[in-house]
């Protein structure tokens, strides 16, 4: 059964490519939001399994959006993404409620599945 993913990114071209990549293998069903406000509404209504959240939303702090989404749906896995690498954000990624970080250049259905799947110990 396909897991549901909400892509939150202000760039429609990235959302389209990400959707194509994630739906190609049939592992994910994708919906989209262009802003933190749209994401909050979508998470409240849809309760997706995963949120792929761009840290660099133009008028919003991606880390604040992450916290707000986590408060709305604590069981939804939030994966932060950016064109930059995680190291460039210092400890803000690990201090956030996100389960992982994925650089946009490395996005694929397989990469996202690895980040959100339970490990050998069931975590």
């Amino acid at each position: 059964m396909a897991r549901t993913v909400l892509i939150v990114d202000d760039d429609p071209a990235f959302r389209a490519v990400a959707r194509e990549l994630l739906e190609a293998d049939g592992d994910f069903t994708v919906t989209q939001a262009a802003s933190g406000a749209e994401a909050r509404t979508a998470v409240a209504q849809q309760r997706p399994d995963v949120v792929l959240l761009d840290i660099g939303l133009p008028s919003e702090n991606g880390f604040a959006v992450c916290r707000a989404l986590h408060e709305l749906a604590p069981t939804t896995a939030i994966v932060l993404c950016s064109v930059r690498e995680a190291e460039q954000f210092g400890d803000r990624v690990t201090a956030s409620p996100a389960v992982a970080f994925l650089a946009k250049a490395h996005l694929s259905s397989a990469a996202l599945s690895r980040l959100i799947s339970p490990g050998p110990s069931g975590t």
Side-chain angles (χ1 to χ4, degrees), residues 48-66:
D49 298 313
V50 181
V51 173
L52 183 64
L53 174 62
D54 181 21
I55 294 173
L57 295 172
S59 61
E60 300 169 271
N61 178 312
F63 293 103
V65 173
C66 180

Side-chain angles (χ1 to χ4, degrees), residues 38-80:
E38 286 182 22
R40 286 186 283 279
T41 299
V43 166
Q45 293 174 349
Q46 301 168 12
R47 299 293 184 190
D49 298 313
V50 181
V51 173
L52 183 64
L53 174 62
D54 181 21
I55 294 173
L57 295 172
S59 61
E60 300 169 271
N61 178 312
F63 293 103
V65 173
C66 180
R67 286 189 299 277
L69 296 179
H70 180 70
E71 287 177 16
L72 276 172
T75 61
T76 295
I78 302 170
V79 175
L80 297 172

